[in-house]
Amino acid sequence: DPSQNLAGSMQTVTLTAPDTLTLNGTLSSGGQFTGRITGEDGTPLAATVVNWFNDDLASFGSTATDASGVYTATGLATGAYTVLFHRSGYLVEYYDDKLLSSQSNRVSVTANEVTIGIDAALFHDEGEERKHQEFPAETRPRPSLPCRWRRRP
């Protein structure tokens, strides 16, 4: 039936020659989020990897920043995402300035909309030797606490 509206439903249609079927529809381009990654001094960080995933890992992906430190994650389903930033020589960080994914602020995405300002300032990873000099053993932060100290595996 040409007047039938199938919006939001899934149906099987069987055609036999010489029948034809015309389908009119719109595909969603998905949601987006975008931001800028800099070093602690405000210098843009090119080639920083940005990863994202939702709770059930049904939607995930990655991209990298351009020369001005800007990135855009595209084609995302509506939902909330955990976002991770990492670059060689810098401490890994979750949005918004968190070391652990369980502490991260989730980024809300809506199909056909752009969420802006998902920015990060990454800090240099100066290595274990300096960290041990700055923190005596009895006061050294534990990795489960929100701090800028991280033990390399």
Side-chain angles (χ1 to χ4, degrees):
D1 178 6
S3 64
Q4 196 173 21
N5 183 352
L6 303 177
S9 67
M10 185 169 147
Q11 292 188 339
T12 301
V13 177
T14 304
L15 299 175
T16 55
D19 293 341
T20 61
L21 176 66
T22 301
L23 298 174
N24 296 312
T26 304
L27 297 176
S28 169
S29 62
Q32 300 180 31
F33 64 85
T34 187
R36 184 169 186 256
I37 311 303
T38 64
E40 59 214 272
D41 61 357
T43 303
L45 292 179
T48 300
V49 177
V50 180
N51 296 105
W52 60 88
F53 54 91
N54 66 359
D55 285 338
D56 62 4
L57 298 178
S59 184
F60 58 89
S62 68
T63 190
T65 57
D66 64 16
S68 60
V70 174
Y71 73 92
T72 302
T74 61
L76 304 174
T78 296
Y81 292 83
T82 299
V83 181
L84 170 69
F85 309 102
H86 55 99
R87 184 173 193 264
S88 180
Y90 289 81
L91 295 172
V92 171
E93 182 177 303
Y94 288 88
Y95 183 76
D96 184 21
D97 197 29
K98 306 291 192 256
L99 287 178
L100 302 174
S101 64
S102 60
Q103 298 172 334
S104 69
N105 294 348
R106 311 266 290 159
V107 175
S108 293
V109 174
T110 303
N112 299 316
E113 294 184 13
V114 179
T115 303
I116 61 172
I118 310 305
D119 303 331
L122 302 184
F123 287 78
H124 279 97
D125 183 355
E126 298 174 7
E128 286 296 307
E129 184 177 323
R130 178 157 184 238
K131 288 177 182 63
H132 286 281
Q133 292 170 358
E134 292 176 1
F135 297 106
E138 64 276 3
T139 62
R140 201 169 292 138
R142 294 183 304 267
S144 62
L145 298 176
C147 62
R148 290 252 179 244
W149 182 83
R150 169 161 268 185
R151 180 180 303 273
R152 288 186 176 210

